[in-house]
Amino acid sequence: MIGQELIVLIVQIIAALGVVVSVVYLGLQIKQQNVITKAQFGHSLTQRLYDRYFQTSKDLEYAQFMATDWSADLSPVDGWRVSMAILTYLVDVFDVYDKVEAGLVDKSHLDTRMRTLKFGLPSQPLQPPLLQAVAASRTSSCS
């Protein structure tokens, strides 16, 4: 009888150790998956920026549009294009900001975009509907 109780006790100890090892392994897997997820977010943000740079270098019309003096009198079509370009950059900045705040990417991604907006965009006052759209997108993403 004592031998049987000893065997049951040993089996229970081995089972308990198996659970502990499984939990530790699961924790390591989750940590590794978080690292992979952060790397994927960083890569996708960098790729998005590089695609924009590449588009500027290969597309003459786009490069000319980006070099336009946005503070000058623009046609309605060019004014709309400017508004959409600025909105695209702002949405990109908000997206990166959210990822930085969530700890998914390094702040350097946000700093790069902010430098681009500060030094790289021609001056153009935002149109009221565009300002309202930007404000609405920030309000909805902050809640």
Side-chain angles (χ1 to χ4, degrees), residues 27-87:
L28 292 173
Q29 288 295 101
I30 290 171
K31 183 177 179 179
Q32 182 181 17
Q33 187 59 43
N34 286 342
V35 169
I36 290 169
T37 301
K38 285 182 181 184
Q40 287 173 334
F41 275 124
H43 173 74
S44 68
L45 291 175
T46 301
Q47 188 62 44
R48 192 163 62 190
L49 199 58
Y50 287 163
D51 287 345
R52 203 172 299 136
Y53 293 158
F54 184 65
Q55 180 181 5
T56 302
S57 68
K58 74 174 185 149
D59 185 343
L60 179 63
E61 180 188 4
Y62 182 76
Q64 288 172 335
F65 167 69
M66 293 304 295
T68 300
D69 179 7
W70 290 4
S71 63
D73 287 334
L74 299 171
S75 71
V77 171
D78 282 341
W80 181 253
R81 289 175 73 190
V82 165
S83 294
M84 290 301 101
I86 292 172
L87 183 59

Coordinates of all heavy atoms in Angstrom, one line a residue, residues 27-87:
G27 N 5.1 31.6 -21.3 CA 5.5 33.0 -21.1 C 6.6 33.4 -22.1 O 6.6 34.5 -22.6
L28 N 7.6 32.5 -22.3 CA 8.7 32.8 -23.3 C 8.1 32.9 -24.7 O 8.6 33.8 -25.4 CB 9.7 31.7 -23.2 CG 10.6 31.6 -21.9 CD1 11.4 30.4 -21.9 CD2 11.4 32.9 -21.7
Q29 N 7.2 32.1 -25.1 CA 6.6 32.2 -26.4 C 5.9 33.5 -26.6 O 5.9 34.2 -27.6 CB 5.6 31.0 -26.6 CG 6.3 29.7 -26.8 CD 7.1 29.7 -28.1 OE1 8.3 29.8 -28.0 NE2 6.5 29.5 -29.2
I30 N 5.1 34.0 -25.5 CA 4.4 35.2 -25.6 C 5.4 36.4 -25.8 O 5.2 37.3 -26.6 CB 3.5 35.4 -24.4 CG1 2.3 34.4 -24.5 CG2 3.0 36.8 -24.3 CD1 1.5 34.4 -23.2
K31 N 6.5 36.4 -25.0 CA 7.5 37.4 -25.1 C 8.1 37.5 -26.5 O 8.3 38.5 -27.0 CB 8.6 37.2 -24.0 CG 9.6 38.2 -24.0 CD 10.6 38.0 -22.9 CE 11.7 39.0 -22.9 NZ 12.7 38.8 -21.8
Q32 N 8.4 36.3 -27.0 CA 9.0 36.2 -28.4 C 8.0 36.7 -29.4 O 8.4 37.5 -30.3 CB 9.4 34.8 -28.7 CG 10.1 34.7 -30.1 CD 10.5 33.2 -30.4 OE1 10.0 32.3 -29.8 NE2 11.3 33.1 -31.4
Q33 N 6.7 36.4 -29.3 CA 5.7 36.9 -30.2 C 5.6 38.4 -30.1 O 5.4 39.1 -31.1 CB 4.4 36.2 -29.9 CG 3.3 36.5 -31.0 CD 3.7 36.1 -32.4 OE1 4.2 35.1 -32.6 NE2 3.4 37.0 -33.3
N34 N 5.7 39.0 -28.9 CA 5.6 40.4 -28.8 C 6.8 41.1 -29.5 O 6.6 42.1 -30.2 CB 5.6 40.8 -27.3 CG 4.3 40.6 -26.7 OD1 3.3 40.4 -27.3 ND2 4.3 40.5 -25.3
V35 N 8.0 40.5 -29.4 CA 9.1 41.1 -30.1 C 8.9 41.0 -31.6 O 9.2 42.0 -32.4 CB 10.4 40.3 -29.7 CG1 11.6 40.7 -30.6 CG2 10.8 40.6 -28.3
I36 N 8.4 39.9 -32.1 CA 8.1 39.7 -33.5 C 7.1 40.7 -34.0 O 7.2 41.4 -35.1 CB 7.7 38.3 -33.8 CG1 8.8 37.3 -33.7 CG2 7.1 38.2 -35.3 CD1 8.5 35.9 -33.7
T37 N 6.0 40.9 -33.2 CA 5.0 41.9 -33.6 C 5.5 43.3 -33.7 O 5.2 44.0 -34.6 CB 3.8 41.8 -32.6 OG1 3.3 40.5 -32.5 CG2 2.7 42.8 -32.9
K38 N 6.3 43.7 -32.7 CA 6.9 45.0 -32.7 C 7.8 45.2 -34.0 O 7.8 46.2 -34.6 CB 7.8 45.3 -31.5 CG 7.0 45.5 -30.3 CD 7.9 45.8 -29.1 CE 7.1 46.0 -27.8 NZ 8.0 46.4 -26.7
A39 N 8.6 44.2 -34.3 CA 9.4 44.2 -35.5 C 8.6 44.4 -36.8 O 8.9 45.1 -37.7 CB 10.3 43.0 -35.6
Q40 N 7.5 43.7 -36.8 CA 6.6 43.7 -38.0 C 6.0 45.1 -38.1 O 5.9 45.7 -39.2 CB 5.5 42.7 -37.9 CG 6.0 41.3 -38.2 CD 4.9 40.2 -38.0 OE1 4.0 40.4 -37.2 NE2 5.1 39.1 -38.6
F41 N 5.5 45.7 -37.0 CA 5.0 47.1 -37.1 C 6.1 48.1 -37.5 O 5.8 48.9 -38.4 CB 4.5 47.5 -35.7 CG 3.1 47.1 -35.4 CD1 2.7 46.3 -34.3 CD2 2.0 47.4 -36.3 CE1 1.4 45.9 -34.1 CE2 0.7 47.1 -36.0 CZ 0.4 46.3 -34.9
G42 N 7.3 47.9 -37.0 CA 8.3 48.8 -37.4 C 8.7 48.7 -38.8 O 8.9 49.7 -39.5
H43 N 8.7 47.5 -39.3 CA 9.0 47.2 -40.7 C 7.9 47.8 -41.6 O 8.2 48.5 -42.6 CB 9.2 45.7 -41.0 CG 9.3 45.4 -42.4 ND1 10.5 45.7 -43.1 CD2 8.5 44.9 -43.3 CE1 10.3 45.3 -44.4 NE2 9.1 44.8 -44.5
S44 N 6.7 47.6 -41.2 CA 5.6 48.2 -42.1 C 5.6 49.7 -42.1 O 5.3 50.3 -43.2 CB 4.2 47.6 -41.7 OG 3.9 48.2 -40.4
L45 N 5.9 50.3 -41.0 CA 6.0 51.8 -41.0 C 7.1 52.3 -41.8 O 7.0 53.3 -42.6 CB 6.1 52.3 -39.6 CG 4.9 52.1 -38.7 CD1 5.2 52.5 -37.3 CD2 3.7 52.8 -39.2
T46 N 8.3 51.6 -41.7 CA 9.5 52.0 -42.5 C 9.2 51.8 -44.0 O 9.5 52.6 -44.8 CB 10.7 51.2 -42.1 OG1 10.9 51.5 -40.7 CG2 11.9 51.6 -42.8
Q47 N 8.6 50.7 -44.3 CA 8.2 50.4 -45.7 C 7.3 51.4 -46.3 O 7.5 51.9 -47.4 CB 7.6 49.0 -45.8 CG 7.5 48.5 -47.3 CD 8.8 48.5 -48.0 OE1 9.8 47.9 -47.5 NE2 8.8 48.9 -49.2
R48 N 6.3 51.9 -45.5 CA 5.4 52.9 -46.0 C 6.1 54.2 -46.3 O 5.8 54.8 -47.3 CB 4.3 53.1 -44.9 CG 3.2 53.9 -45.3 CD 2.0 53.7 -44.3 NE 2.3 54.2 -43.0 CZ 1.5 54.0 -41.9 NH1 0.4 53.3 -42.1 NH2 1.8 54.4 -40.7
L49 N 7.1 54.5 -45.4 CA 7.9 55.7 -45.7 C 8.8 55.6 -46.9 O 8.8 56.5 -47.8 CB 8.7 56.0 -44.4 CG 9.3 57.4 -44.3 CD1 8.1 58.5 -44.2 CD2 10.1 57.5 -43.0
Y50 N 9.4 54.5 -47.0 CA 10.3 54.2 -48.2 C 9.5 54.2 -49.5 O 9.9 54.7 -50.5 CB 11.0 52.9 -48.1 CG 12.2 53.0 -47.0 CD1 12.7 51.8 -46.5 CD2 12.7 54.2 -46.6 CE1 13.8 51.9 -45.6 CE2 13.7 54.2 -45.7 CZ 14.2 53.1 -45.2 OH 15.3 53.1 -44.3
D51 N 8.3 53.7 -49.5 CA 7.4 53.7 -50.7 C 7.1 55.1 -51.1 O 7.1 55.4 -52.3 CB 6.1 52.9 -50.4 CG 6.3 51.4 -50.3 OD1 7.3 50.9 -50.7 OD2 5.3 50.8 -49.8
R52 N 6.9 56.0 -50.1 CA 6.6 57.4 -50.4 C 7.9 58.0 -51.1 O 7.8 58.8 -52.0 CB 6.2 58.1 -49.2 CG 5.4 59.4 -49.5 CD 4.8 60.0 -48.2 NE 3.9 59.1 -47.5 CZ 3.9 58.9 -46.2 NH1 4.7 59.5 -45.4 NH2 3.0 58.1 -45.7
Y53 N 9.0 57.7 -50.5 CA 10.3 58.3 -51.0 C 10.5 57.8 -52.4 O 10.9 58.5 -53.3 CB 11.5 57.9 -50.2 CG 11.5 58.5 -48.8 CD1 12.3 57.8 -47.8 CD2 10.9 59.6 -48.5 CE1 12.4 58.4 -46.5 CE2 10.9 60.1 -47.2 CZ 11.7 59.5 -46.2 OH 11.7 60.0 -45.0
F54 N 10.3 56.5 -52.6 CA 10.5 55.9 -54.0 C 9.5 56.5 -55.0 O 9.9 56.7 -56.1 CB 10.3 54.3 -53.9 CG 10.6 53.7 -55.2 CD1 11.9 53.7 -55.7 CD2 9.6 53.0 -55.8 CE1 12.2 53.0 -56.9 CE2 9.9 52.3 -57.0 CZ 11.2 52.4 -57.6
Q55 N 8.3 56.7 -54.6 CA 7.3 57.3 -55.5 C 7.8 58.7 -55.9 O 7.7 59.0 -57.1 CB 5.9 57.4 -54.8 CG 4.9 58.0 -55.7 CD 3.5 58.1 -55.1 OE1 3.4 57.8 -53.9 NE2 2.6 58.5 -55.8
T56 N 8.3 59.4 -55.0 CA 8.8 60.7 -55.3 C 10.0 60.7 -56.4 O 10.0 61.5 -57.3 CB 9.3 61.5 -54.1 OG1 8.2 61.5 -53.2 CG2 9.8 62.9 -54.4
S57 N 10.8 59.7 -56.2 CA 12.0 59.6 -57.1 C 11.6 59.0 -58.5 O 12.3 59.4 -59.4 CB 13.1 58.7 -56.5 OG 12.7 57.4 -56.4
K58 N 10.6 58.2 -58.6 CA 10.3 57.6 -59.9 C 9.2 58.3 -60.6 O 9.0 58.1 -61.8 CB 10.0 56.1 -59.7 CG 8.6 55.8 -59.1 CD 8.3 54.4 -59.1 CE 6.9 54.2 -58.6 NZ 6.2 53.1 -59.1
D59 N 8.3 59.1 -59.9 CA 7.1 59.6 -60.5 C 7.3 61.2 -60.7 O 7.2 61.9 -59.7 CB 5.9 59.3 -59.7 CG 4.6 59.8 -60.3 OD1 4.6 60.6 -61.3 OD2 3.6 59.3 -59.9
L60 N 7.6 61.6 -61.9 CA 7.9 63.0 -62.2 C 6.8 63.9 -61.8 O 7.0 64.9 -61.1 CB 8.3 63.2 -63.7 CG 8.6 64.6 -64.1 CD1 9.8 65.2 -63.3 CD2 8.8 64.7 -65.6
E61 N 5.5 63.5 -62.1 CA 4.4 64.3 -61.8 C 4.2 64.5 -60.3 O 4.0 65.6 -59.8 CB 3.1 63.7 -62.4 CG 1.9 64.6 -62.1 CD 0.6 63.9 -62.5 OE1 0.6 62.8 -63.0 OE2 -0.5 64.6 -62.4
Y62 N 4.4 63.4 -59.6 CA 4.3 63.5 -58.1 C 5.4 64.4 -57.5 O 5.1 65.2 -56.6 CB 4.4 62.1 -57.5 CG 4.2 62.0 -56.0 CD1 2.9 62.2 -55.5 CD2 5.3 61.8 -55.2 CE1 2.8 62.1 -54.1 CE2 5.1 61.8 -53.8 CZ 3.9 61.9 -53.3 OH 3.7 61.9 -51.9
A63 N 6.6 64.2 -58.0 CA 7.7 65.0 -57.6 C 7.4 66.5 -57.8 O 7.7 67.4 -57.0 CB 9.0 64.6 -58.2
Q64 N 6.9 66.8 -59.0 CA 6.6 68.2 -59.4 C 5.5 68.7 -58.4 O 5.5 69.9 -58.0 CB 6.2 68.3 -60.8 CG 7.3 68.2 -61.8 CD 6.9 68.1 -63.2 OE1 5.7 67.7 -63.5 NE2 7.8 68.4 -64.1
F65 N 4.5 67.9 -58.2 CA 3.4 68.3 -57.3 C 4.0 68.6 -55.9 O 3.6 69.6 -55.3 CB 2.4 67.2 -57.2 CG 1.4 67.4 -56.1 CD1 0.5 68.4 -56.1 CD2 1.4 66.5 -55.0 CE1 -0.4 68.6 -55.1 CE2 0.5 66.7 -54.0 CZ -0.4 67.7 -54.0
M66 N 4.9 67.7 -55.4 CA 5.4 67.9 -54.0 C 6.3 69.2 -54.0 O 6.5 69.8 -53.0 CB 6.2 66.7 -53.6 CG 5.4 65.5 -53.4 SD 4.0 65.7 -52.2 CE 4.9 66.0 -50.7
A67 N 6.9 69.6 -55.1 CA 7.8 70.7 -55.2 C 7.0 72.0 -55.4 O 7.5 73.1 -55.4 CB 8.8 70.6 -56.3
T68 N 5.7 71.9 -55.7 CA 4.8 73.1 -55.9 C 4.8 74.0 -54.7 O 4.8 73.5 -53.5 CB 3.4 72.6 -56.2 OG1 3.4 71.8 -57.4 CG2 2.5 73.8 -56.5
D69 N 4.7 75.3 -54.9 CA 4.5 76.2 -53.8 C 3.1 76.1 -53.3 O 2.2 76.7 -54.0 CB 4.9 77.6 -54.2 CG 4.7 78.7 -53.1 OD1 4.4 78.3 -52.0 OD2 4.9 79.9 -53.4
W70 N 2.8 75.5 -52.3 CA 1.5 75.2 -51.8 C 0.8 76.5 -51.2 O -0.4 76.5 -51.0 CB 1.4 74.1 -50.8 CG 1.7 72.7 -51.4 CD1 2.1 72.5 -52.7 CD2 1.7 71.5 -50.7 NE1 2.3 71.1 -52.9 CE2 2.1 70.5 -51.7 CE3 1.5 71.1 -49.4 CZ2 2.1 69.2 -51.4 CZ3 1.5 69.7 -49.1 CH2 1.9 68.8 -50.1
S71 N 1.6 77.5 -51.0 CA 1.0 78.7 -50.5 C 0.5 79.6 -51.6 O -0.1 80.6 -51.4 CB 2.0 79.5 -49.6 OG 3.1 79.9 -50.4
A72 N 0.9 79.3 -52.8 CA 0.4 80.1 -54.0 C -1.0 79.8 -54.3 O -1.6 78.9 -53.8 CB 1.3 79.8 -55.2
D73 N -1.6 80.6 -55.2 CA -3.0 80.3 -55.6 C -3.0 79.1 -56.4 O -2.3 78.9 -57.4 CB -3.5 81.5 -56.5 CG -3.8 82.7 -55.7 OD1 -4.1 82.6 -54.5 OD2 -3.8 83.8 -56.3
L74 N -3.8 78.1 -56.0 CA -3.8 76.8 -56.6 C -5.2 76.6 -57.3 O -6.2 77.1 -56.8 CB -3.6 75.7 -55.6 CG -2.3 75.7 -54.8 CD1 -2.3 74.6 -53.7 CD2 -1.1 75.4 -55.8
S75 N -5.2 75.8 -58.3 CA -6.5 75.4 -58.9 C -7.2 74.6 -57.9 O -6.7 74.0 -57.0 CB -6.2 74.6 -60.2 OG -5.7 73.3 -59.9
P76 N -8.6 74.5 -58.1 CA -9.3 73.6 -57.2 C -8.8 72.2 -57.1 O -8.8 71.6 -56.0 CB -10.8 73.7 -57.8 CG -10.8 75.0 -58.5 CD -9.4 75.2 -59.1
V77 N -8.4 71.7 -58.3 CA -7.9 70.3 -58.3 C -6.6 70.2 -57.5 O -6.4 69.3 -56.6 CB -7.7 69.8 -59.7 CG1 -6.9 68.5 -59.7 CG2 -9.0 69.7 -60.4
D78 N -5.7 71.1 -57.7 CA -4.4 71.1 -56.9 C -4.6 71.4 -55.5 O -4.0 70.8 -54.6 CB -3.4 72.1 -57.5 CG -2.7 71.6 -58.8 OD1 -2.8 70.3 -59.0 OD2 -2.2 72.4 -59.5
G79 N -5.6 72.3 -55.1 CA -5.9 72.5 -53.7 C -6.4 71.3 -53.1 O -6.1 71.0 -51.9
W80 N -7.3 70.5 -53.8 CA -7.8 69.2 -53.2 C -6.6 68.2 -53.1 O -6.5 67.6 -52.0 CB -8.8 68.7 -54.2 CG -9.4 67.4 -53.7 CD1 -9.2 66.2 -54.2 CD2 -10.3 67.2 -52.6 NE1 -9.9 65.2 -53.4 CE2 -10.6 65.9 -52.4 CE3 -10.9 68.1 -51.6 CZ2 -11.4 65.3 -51.5 CZ3 -11.7 67.6 -50.6 CH2 -11.9 66.2 -50.6
R81 N -5.7 68.2 -54.0 CA -4.6 67.3 -53.9 C -3.7 67.6 -52.7 O -3.2 66.8 -52.0 CB -3.8 67.3 -55.2 CG -4.4 66.6 -56.4 CD -3.6 66.8 -57.7 NE -2.5 65.9 -57.6 CZ -1.5 66.0 -58.5 NH1 -1.5 66.9 -59.5 NH2 -0.4 65.2 -58.4
V82 N -3.5 68.9 -52.5 CA -2.7 69.4 -51.4 C -3.4 69.0 -50.1 O -2.7 68.4 -49.2 CB -2.5 70.9 -51.4 CG1 -2.0 71.4 -50.1 CG2 -1.5 71.3 -52.6
S83 N -4.7 69.2 -50.0 CA -5.4 68.8 -48.8 C -5.3 67.3 -48.5 O -5.1 66.9 -47.4 CB -6.9 69.2 -48.9 OG -7.0 70.6 -49.0
M84 N -5.5 66.5 -49.6 CA -5.4 65.1 -49.4 C -4.0 64.6 -49.0 O -3.8 63.7 -48.2 CB -5.8 64.3 -50.6 CG -7.3 64.5 -50.9 SD -8.4 63.8 -49.6 CE -8.9 65.3 -48.7
A85 N -3.0 65.3 -49.6 CA -1.6 64.9 -49.2 C -1.3 65.3 -47.8 O -0.7 64.4 -47.0 CB -0.6 65.7 -50.1
I86 N -1.7 66.4 -47.3 CA -1.5 66.8 -45.9 C -2.3 65.9 -45.0 O -1.8 65.4 -44.0 CB -1.9 68.3 -45.7 CG1 -0.9 69.2 -46.4 CG2 -1.9 68.6 -44.2 CD1 -1.3 70.7 -46.4
L87 N -3.5 65.6 -45.4 CA -4.3 64.6 -44.5 C -3.6 63.3 -44.5 O -3.6 62.7 -43.4 CB -5.7 64.5 -45.1 CG -6.7 63.7 -44.3 CD1 -6.9 64.2 -42.9 CD2 -8.0 63.6 -45.0

